[in-house]
Amino acid sequence: MKYALYTGCVAKGAGRELLAATYSACGKLGIELVEMTDAACCGAGVINEDNPILGDIINARTFAQAEKMGLPIMNICTTCQGVHRKCQIKLAADPARMEKVNAELKKDTGLEYKGQVKVRHFYEALLEEYGLERLAKAVTRPLTGMKVAAFYGCYAMRPHEYSDLTDPDDPNELERIITTLGATPVKYGERLKCCGFPILMMNKRNALKLTGNAVAGAKNAGATGMVTPCPLCHLNLDAYQPEIDKSLRMPVWHIPQLVAYALGATPEELMLKTHIIRPKEAFALV
């Protein structure tokens, strides 16, 4: 298996441990990654709100680059995945818009998006293409004893028509991976709610209330840790915990970190010291 890795912005900045864990997990699974070093930011939905056609051109350029590489795209950010899938579905349903986007794209880059590239998040690639049976055989450090609460993030589920989840109202994709790694998945009421990141700059009080509700919900349900496929959710759930409630002490992993740890990666490989809430106690349960 080989993918064009779209890192997104956070994995190159405040969440570099996500990129390290992705390379670690994929390396141990024999998944080859070719980093898309010339791809632009997906816009996180912000550019599309102000200038939808510009947002589509930027993302079509990324798709065209991957098509030129002859590789499917692997995302490691749910926000990037959601924006990419929305763009793909919109363009596939509107030939006139596709033609307009490609006309602008060709003018500036010579590239053309043909509508053929597949876009998968890391966890979707494990589920749909690598396979859980193969993943289970690769586990060398079963996470037995850990109780892990999944936090999906808005862009994985909303709007439903752009979601790749089997059931956006009650997904089980992350829980299936957690189980395969040997841990026990924990369901709780806040697992499908917003982490508050989108309103953090405008209304920090309410944003952190949403974050605190999610972490407290997971803790009250008995979780010893949380896992998310979205680095923006991770920023809120991990970095702001001390400001919300110092007693929460809930470690939060990126999904590639949890996978790589079960495959035998060391805490140093996964850059766990970059976390505000260190997962030392949770991993001691293994």
Side-chain angles (χ1 to χ4, degrees):
M1 294 172 63
K2 187 174 180 179
Y3 291 90
L5 177 64
Y6 182 83
T7 65
C9 300
V10 180
K12 285 287 191 177
R16 296 185 183 202
E17 71 281 356
L18 168 59
L19 188 58
T22 301
Y23 275 114
S24 175
C26 289
K28 293 179 188 305
L29 294 172
I31 299 173
E32 189 176 348
L33 301 175
V34 182
E35 193 170 320
M36 300 184 73
T37 56
D38 192 35
C41 170
C42 73
V46 177
I47 293 176
N48 279 77
E49 283 186 16
D50 185 64
N51 190 334
I53 195 70
L54 176 61
D56 287 349
I57 293 168
I58 289 171
N59 288 305
R61 175 178 176 271
T62 298
F63 305 150
Q65 287 176 330
E67 286 178 342
K68 191 175 180 181
M69 294 164 73
L71 296 173
I73 292 174
M74 177 186 282
N75 274 313
I76 50 176
C77 170
T78 306
T79 300
C80 298
Q81 176 69 17
V83 171
H84 281 168
R85 290 295 293 135
K86 182 177 181 180
C87 180
Q88 282 194 314
I89 293 168
K90 273 197 313 178
L91 293 180
D94 189 344
R97 188 178 187 85
M98 179 83 142
E99 186 176 349
K100 183 176 181 181
V101 164
N102 268 328
E104 294 298 322
L105 192 59
K106 283 181 187 175
K107 190 190 308 178
D108 291 334
T109 68
L111 293 169
E112 178 184 5
Y113 170 46
K114 297 182 173 62
Q116 297 172 347
V117 69
K118 287 185 178 180
V119 181
R120 293 279 185 274
H121 192 287
F122 169 84
Y123 74 87
E124 294 173 331
L126 292 185
L127 287 164
E128 298 168 15
E129 293 168 2
Y130 192 84
L132 293 185
E133 190 174 336
R134 286 177 70 193
L135 178 61
K137 290 177 180 175
V139 170
T140 58
R141 185 193 284 139
L143 305 183
T144 311
M146 289 176 56
K147 296 179 180 178
V148 181
F151 189 85
Y152 280 81
C154 296
Y155 274 90
M157 300 169 291
R158 293 182 278 272
H160 285 190
E161 57 266 35
Y162 302 131
S163 174
D164 291 323
L165 295 171
T166 304
D167 181 0
D169 288 326
D170 187 18
N172 65 6
E173 279 81 351
L174 293 178
E175 284 80 3
R176 288 162 58 203
I177 292 176
I178 292 168
T179 300
T180 301
L181 301 178
T184 302
V186 175
K187 284 197 173 183
Y188 59 109
E190 294 79 8
R191 74 188 181 107
L192 306 183
K193 293 186 177 177
C194 177
C195 71
F197 186 88
I199 61 169
L200 185 63
M201 298 301 169
M202 295 172 284
N203 190 333
K204 186 175 180 181
R205 179 174 171 273
N206 283 354
L208 296 191
K209 190 172 183 179
L210 289 169
T211 309
N213 287 344
V215 178
K219 186 168 186 174
N220 291 337
T224 55
M226 298 174 73
V227 69
T228 180
C230 180
L232 299 180
C233 295
H234 187 275
L235 285 174
N236 257 35
L237 295 169
D238 179 55
Y240 284 99
Q241 269 192 58
E243 189 172 332
I244 297 166
D245 183 349
K246 289 181 180 177
S247 69
L248 288 171
R249 301 292 305 163
M250 176 68 73
V252 184
W253 298 285
H254 302 282
I255 185 66
Q257 284 184 309
L258 202 65
V259 172
Y261 191 74
L263 298 177
T266 65
E268 290 75 23
E269 284 178 75
L270 305 180
M271 299 176 65
L272 296 181
K273 285 188 176 179
T274 62
H275 290 220
I276 299 302
I277 307 299
R278 305 287 168 81
K280 187 177 177 182
E281 291 180 11
F283 280 153
L285 296 170
V286 175

PDB file of all heavy atoms in Angstrom, residues 120-134:
ATOM      1  N   ARG A 120      -8.570   9.309   1.654  1.00  0.00           N
ATOM      2  CA  ARG A 120      -8.875   8.538   2.853  1.00  0.00           C
ATOM      3  C   ARG A 120      -8.183   9.145   4.057  1.00  0.00           C
ATOM      4  O   ARG A 120      -7.030   9.562   3.966  1.00  0.00           O
ATOM      5  CB  ARG A 120      -8.376   7.092   2.713  1.00  0.00           C
ATOM      6  CG  ARG A 120      -9.091   6.273   1.668  1.00  0.00           C
ATOM      7  CD  ARG A 120     -10.406   5.745   2.212  1.00  0.00           C
ATOM      8  NE  ARG A 120     -11.048   4.860   1.256  1.00  0.00           N
ATOM      9  CZ  ARG A 120     -11.840   5.273   0.271  1.00  0.00           C
ATOM     10  NH1 ARG A 120     -12.092   6.555   0.112  1.00  0.00           N
ATOM     11  NH2 ARG A 120     -12.388   4.411  -0.554  1.00  0.00           N
ATOM     12  N   HIS A 121      -8.875   9.135   5.199  1.00  0.00           N
ATOM     13  CA  HIS A 121      -8.191   9.444   6.450  1.00  0.00           C
ATOM     14  C   HIS A 121      -7.392   8.208   6.852  1.00  0.00           C
ATOM     15  O   HIS A 121      -7.716   7.084   6.457  1.00  0.00           O
ATOM     16  CB  HIS A 121      -9.208   9.790   7.548  1.00  0.00           C
ATOM     17  CG  HIS A 121      -8.589  10.398   8.778  1.00  0.00           C
ATOM     18  ND1 HIS A 121      -7.855   9.662   9.680  1.00  0.00           N
ATOM     19  CD2 HIS A 121      -8.581  11.667   9.253  1.00  0.00           C
ATOM     20  CE1 HIS A 121      -7.432  10.450  10.653  1.00  0.00           C
ATOM     21  NE2 HIS A 121      -7.856  11.682  10.413  1.00  0.00           N
ATOM     22  N   PHE A 122      -6.378   8.400   7.675  1.00  0.00           N
ATOM     23  CA  PHE A 122      -5.548   7.293   8.172  1.00  0.00           C
ATOM     24  C   PHE A 122      -6.396   6.144   8.700  1.00  0.00           C
ATOM     25  O   PHE A 122      -6.183   4.981   8.348  1.00  0.00           O
ATOM     26  CB  PHE A 122      -4.629   7.832   9.279  1.00  0.00           C
ATOM     27  CG  PHE A 122      -3.901   6.787  10.076  1.00  0.00           C
ATOM     28  CD1 PHE A 122      -2.712   6.234   9.619  1.00  0.00           C
ATOM     29  CD2 PHE A 122      -4.403   6.367  11.302  1.00  0.00           C
ATOM     30  CE1 PHE A 122      -2.038   5.279  10.369  1.00  0.00           C
ATOM     31  CE2 PHE A 122      -3.738   5.410  12.056  1.00  0.00           C
ATOM     32  CZ  PHE A 122      -2.550   4.862  11.590  1.00  0.00           C
ATOM     33  N   TYR A 123      -7.402   6.471   9.531  1.00  0.00           N
ATOM     34  CA  TYR A 123      -8.177   5.399  10.142  1.00  0.00           C
ATOM     35  C   TYR A 123      -9.077   4.701   9.111  1.00  0.00           C
ATOM     36  O   TYR A 123      -9.341   3.502   9.219  1.00  0.00           O
ATOM     37  CB  TYR A 123      -8.991   5.895  11.347  1.00  0.00           C
ATOM     38  CG  TYR A 123     -10.215   6.718  11.063  1.00  0.00           C
ATOM     39  CD1 TYR A 123     -11.455   6.130  10.820  1.00  0.00           C
ATOM     40  CD2 TYR A 123     -10.146   8.103  11.076  1.00  0.00           C
ATOM     41  CE1 TYR A 123     -12.584   6.890  10.585  1.00  0.00           C
ATOM     42  CE2 TYR A 123     -11.264   8.878  10.846  1.00  0.00           C
ATOM     43  CZ  TYR A 123     -12.481   8.266  10.594  1.00  0.00           C
ATOM     44  OH  TYR A 123     -13.598   9.040  10.355  1.00  0.00           O
ATOM     45  N   GLU A 124      -9.514   5.451   8.088  1.00  0.00           N
ATOM     46  CA  GLU A 124     -10.307   4.833   7.024  1.00  0.00           C
ATOM     47  C   GLU A 124      -9.450   3.894   6.181  1.00  0.00           C
ATOM     48  O   GLU A 124      -9.919   2.839   5.743  1.00  0.00           O
ATOM     49  CB  GLU A 124     -10.923   5.919   6.144  1.00  0.00           C
ATOM     50  CG  GLU A 124     -11.952   6.773   6.876  1.00  0.00           C
ATOM     51  CD  GLU A 124     -12.428   7.941   6.039  1.00  0.00           C
ATOM     52  OE1 GLU A 124     -11.642   8.434   5.194  1.00  0.00           O
ATOM     53  OE2 GLU A 124     -13.568   8.369   6.231  1.00  0.00           O
ATOM     54  N   ALA A 125      -8.192   4.271   5.976  1.00  0.00           N
ATOM     55  CA  ALA A 125      -7.288   3.400   5.215  1.00  0.00           C
ATOM     56  C   ALA A 125      -7.077   2.085   5.969  1.00  0.00           C
ATOM     57  O   ALA A 125      -7.022   1.017   5.360  1.00  0.00           O
ATOM     58  CB  ALA A 125      -5.956   4.108   4.983  1.00  0.00           C
ATOM     59  N   LEU A 126      -6.966   2.164   7.303  1.00  0.00           N
ATOM     60  CA  LEU A 126      -6.807   0.940   8.094  1.00  0.00           C
ATOM     61  C   LEU A 126      -8.050   0.065   7.982  1.00  0.00           C
ATOM     62  O   LEU A 126      -7.956  -1.153   7.805  1.00  0.00           O
ATOM     63  CB  LEU A 126      -6.558   1.281   9.568  1.00  0.00           C
ATOM     64  CG  LEU A 126      -5.232   1.957   9.919  1.00  0.00           C
ATOM     65  CD1 LEU A 126      -5.112   2.102  11.429  1.00  0.00           C
ATOM     66  CD2 LEU A 126      -4.045   1.171   9.376  1.00  0.00           C
ATOM     67  N   LEU A 127      -9.213   0.680   8.080  1.00  0.00           N
ATOM     68  CA  LEU A 127     -10.457  -0.082   8.068  1.00  0.00           C
ATOM     69  C   LEU A 127     -10.781  -0.646   6.699  1.00  0.00           C
ATOM     70  O   LEU A 127     -11.145  -1.817   6.573  1.00  0.00           O
ATOM     71  CB  LEU A 127     -11.612   0.824   8.519  1.00  0.00           C
ATOM     72  CG  LEU A 127     -11.665   1.177  10.004  1.00  0.00           C
ATOM     73  CD1 LEU A 127     -12.592   2.362  10.223  1.00  0.00           C
ATOM     74  CD2 LEU A 127     -12.143  -0.013  10.822  1.00  0.00           C
ATOM     75  N   GLU A 128     -10.654   0.179   5.672  1.00  0.00           N
ATOM     76  CA  GLU A 128     -11.176  -0.187   4.352  1.00  0.00           C
ATOM     77  C   GLU A 128     -10.143  -0.834   3.439  1.00  0.00           C
ATOM     78  O   GLU A 128     -10.507  -1.573   2.530  1.00  0.00           O
ATOM     79  CB  GLU A 128     -11.741   1.066   3.665  1.00  0.00           C
ATOM     80  CG  GLU A 128     -12.899   1.689   4.428  1.00  0.00           C
ATOM     81  CD  GLU A 128     -13.255   3.073   3.912  1.00  0.00           C
ATOM     82  OE1 GLU A 128     -12.812   3.423   2.800  1.00  0.00           O
ATOM     83  OE2 GLU A 128     -13.962   3.805   4.629  1.00  0.00           O
ATOM     84  N   GLU A 129      -8.877  -0.542   3.668  1.00  0.00           N
ATOM     85  CA  GLU A 129      -7.880  -1.030   2.716  1.00  0.00           C
ATOM     86  C   GLU A 129      -6.831  -1.933   3.369  1.00  0.00           C
ATOM     87  O   GLU A 129      -6.454  -2.948   2.792  1.00  0.00           O
ATOM     88  CB  GLU A 129      -7.242   0.164   2.002  1.00  0.00           C
ATOM     89  CG  GLU A 129      -8.277   0.858   1.101  1.00  0.00           C
ATOM     90  CD  GLU A 129      -7.836   2.217   0.584  1.00  0.00           C
ATOM     91  OE1 GLU A 129      -6.708   2.629   0.871  1.00  0.00           O
ATOM     92  OE2 GLU A 129      -8.655   2.866  -0.094  1.00  0.00           O
ATOM     93  N   TYR A 130      -6.351  -1.597   4.573  1.00  0.00           N
ATOM     94  CA  TYR A 130      -5.374  -2.470   5.232  1.00  0.00           C
ATOM     95  C   TYR A 130      -6.079  -3.671   5.853  1.00  0.00           C
ATOM     96  O   TYR A 130      -5.657  -4.811   5.691  1.00  0.00           O
ATOM     97  CB  TYR A 130      -4.608  -1.692   6.307  1.00  0.00           C
ATOM     98  CG  TYR A 130      -3.404  -2.441   6.832  1.00  0.00           C
ATOM     99  CD1 TYR A 130      -2.188  -2.387   6.150  1.00  0.00           C
ATOM    100  CD2 TYR A 130      -3.486  -3.219   7.980  1.00  0.00           C
ATOM    101  CE1 TYR A 130      -1.097  -3.094   6.606  1.00  0.00           C
ATOM    102  CE2 TYR A 130      -2.393  -3.930   8.441  1.00  0.00           C
ATOM    103  CZ  TYR A 130      -1.197  -3.851   7.748  1.00  0.00           C
ATOM    104  OH  TYR A 130      -0.110  -4.562   8.205  1.00  0.00           O
ATOM    105  N   GLY A 131      -7.174  -3.396   6.567  1.00  0.00           N
ATOM    106  CA  GLY A 131      -7.970  -4.473   7.157  1.00  0.00           C
ATOM    107  C   GLY A 131      -7.658  -4.696   8.625  1.00  0.00           C
ATOM    108  O   GLY A 131      -6.496  -4.734   9.035  1.00  0.00           O
ATOM    109  N   LEU A 132      -8.692  -4.864   9.422  1.00  0.00           N
ATOM    110  CA  LEU A 132      -8.497  -5.041  10.867  1.00  0.00           C
ATOM    111  C   LEU A 132      -7.872  -6.390  11.205  1.00  0.00           C
ATOM    112  O   LEU A 132      -7.179  -6.520  12.215  1.00  0.00           O
ATOM    113  CB  LEU A 132      -9.838  -4.869  11.592  1.00  0.00           C
ATOM    114  CG  LEU A 132     -10.431  -3.454  11.551  1.00  0.00           C
ATOM    115  CD1 LEU A 132     -11.693  -3.389  12.401  1.00  0.00           C
ATOM    116  CD2 LEU A 132      -9.417  -2.415  12.024  1.00  0.00           C
ATOM    117  N   GLU A 133      -8.119  -7.373  10.370  1.00  0.00           N
ATOM    118  CA  GLU A 133      -7.514  -8.692  10.645  1.00  0.00           C
ATOM    119  C   GLU A 133      -5.993  -8.609  10.534  1.00  0.00           C
ATOM    120  O   GLU A 133      -5.259  -9.130  11.386  1.00  0.00           O
ATOM    121  CB  GLU A 133      -8.071  -9.724   9.659  1.00  0.00           C
ATOM    122  CG  GLU A 133      -7.698 -11.162  10.017  1.00  0.00           C
ATOM    123  CD  GLU A 133      -8.384 -12.174   9.115  1.00  0.00           C
ATOM    124  OE1 GLU A 133      -9.441 -11.858   8.538  1.00  0.00           O
ATOM    125  OE2 GLU A 133      -7.836 -13.274   8.980  1.00  0.00           O
ATOM    126  N   ARG A 134      -5.523  -7.918   9.517  1.00  0.00           N
ATOM    127  CA  ARG A 134      -4.065  -7.728   9.363  1.00  0.00           C
ATOM    128  C   ARG A 134      -3.522  -6.855  10.477  1.00  0.00           C
ATOM    129  O   ARG A 134      -2.427  -7.101  11.006  1.00  0.00           O
ATOM    130  CB  ARG A 134      -3.747  -7.082   8.012  1.00  0.00           C
ATOM    131  CG  ARG A 134      -3.888  -8.001   6.821  1.00  0.00           C
ATOM    132  CD  ARG A 134      -3.626  -7.235   5.537  1.00  0.00           C
ATOM    133  NE  ARG A 134      -2.219  -6.849   5.391  1.00  0.00           N
ATOM    134  CZ  ARG A 134      -1.785  -5.964   4.496  1.00  0.00           C
ATOM    135  NH1 ARG A 134      -2.647  -5.373   3.686  1.00  0.00           N
ATOM    136  NH2 ARG A 134      -0.506  -5.669   4.413  1.00  0.00           N
TER     137      ARG A 134
END
